Amino acid sequence: MKQADFDGKGSCIRWTETPGYEPARVYVHGLGAVSSVYHAHIAARPELASRRSLFVDLPGHGISDRPEHFGYTLEEHADALAAALDAAGLTGCELVAHSMGGSVAVVLAHRRPELVSRLVLTEANLDPMPPSTAGSSTIAAYEEEAFVDGAHARVLEEVGPLWAATMRLADPRALHRSATHLRRGSTPPMRELLEGLPIERVYLQGELSGELAGSRALEASGVRVVTVAGAGHNIMFDNPDAFAAVVAGRY
């Protein structure tokens, strides 16, 4: 396990990694998740295992610190991720990022373009104010104190065992602030930032999640949109073969 200060006050973002050649692949989890849980089985596959791979937990999640003073905006998450990559001595990374982590990855690629050479986004949040059915909407529907003081436990019961297994490791206050800022989005919005990035960009959409809104405009800007058969939001679990093939550039 490695770590880097991300707020100038001793709070650390942490990651685990496996050795290999570069450019490194950096795996980033979604809201209430843990990077290694969602991606280690993918990085270990023969077609991917030779690359240096980092599994970074964003502030407030997994093994990273969870300072109460931190805002947990998309920009702050991106800067914390940048601190990890800087400490690891990396540039020109491939970011493989899921859901909220995809939003953070887009913001990072915009703010620190030298750090990112390729984006593989798995059902990343691209627009503010997602539907009420989105996990972030469920969490952000509560006031922060109400969520911390009791709603967090109720949400854990409602989200199902897979997500609850990692969400219970996230700090409730950090989880709520992350969800709230995810709903607010970035400025400019993540979709606009993604369309303007001058790097290779791939967007994975699960077939069971329905058609990706605005996919034609994304493709017109050079984003390759891949619909993965038999998969929902967690494509790396639902169809790991296709997921790994996309990450490897073979799909």
Side-chain angles (χ1 to χ4, degrees), residues 78-117:
D79 289 346
L81 180 56
L85 302 187
D86 286 339
L90 298 178
T91 57
C93 301
E94 294 187 17
L95 264 58
V96 182
H98 181 223
S99 199
M100 182 188 80
S103 305
V104 173
V106 169
V107 173
L108 173 63
H110 172 72
R111 292 167 74 88
R112 294 286 306 276
E114 78 280 6
L115 294 178
V116 185
S117 62

Side-chain angles (χ1 to χ4, degrees), residues 69-167:
H69 65 266
F70 197 63
Y72 299 95
T73 66
L74 290 175
E75 291 79 8
E76 287 172 316
H77 276 304
D79 289 346
L81 180 56
L85 302 187
D86 286 339
L90 298 178
T91 57
C93 301
E94 294 187 17
L95 264 58
V96 182
H98 181 223
S99 199
M100 182 188 80
S103 305
V104 173
V106 169
V107 173
L108 173 63
H110 172 72
R111 292 167 74 88
R112 294 286 306 276
E114 78 280 6
L115 294 178
V116 185
S117 62
R118 182 179 186 237
L119 288 176
V120 179
L121 307 176
T122 310
E123 295 213 354
N125 302 79
L126 298 181
D127 304 302
M129 302 306 292
S132 60
T133 53
S136 58
S137 299
T138 299
I139 294 170
Y142 297 93
E143 295 295 328
E144 182 173 314
E145 295 306 323
F147 184 77
V148 172
D149 291 340
H152 175 246
R154 292 195 296 274
V155 169
L156 284 178
E157 293 177 355
E158 295 168 357
V159 298
L162 180 66
W163 197 12
T166 57
M167 187 188 288

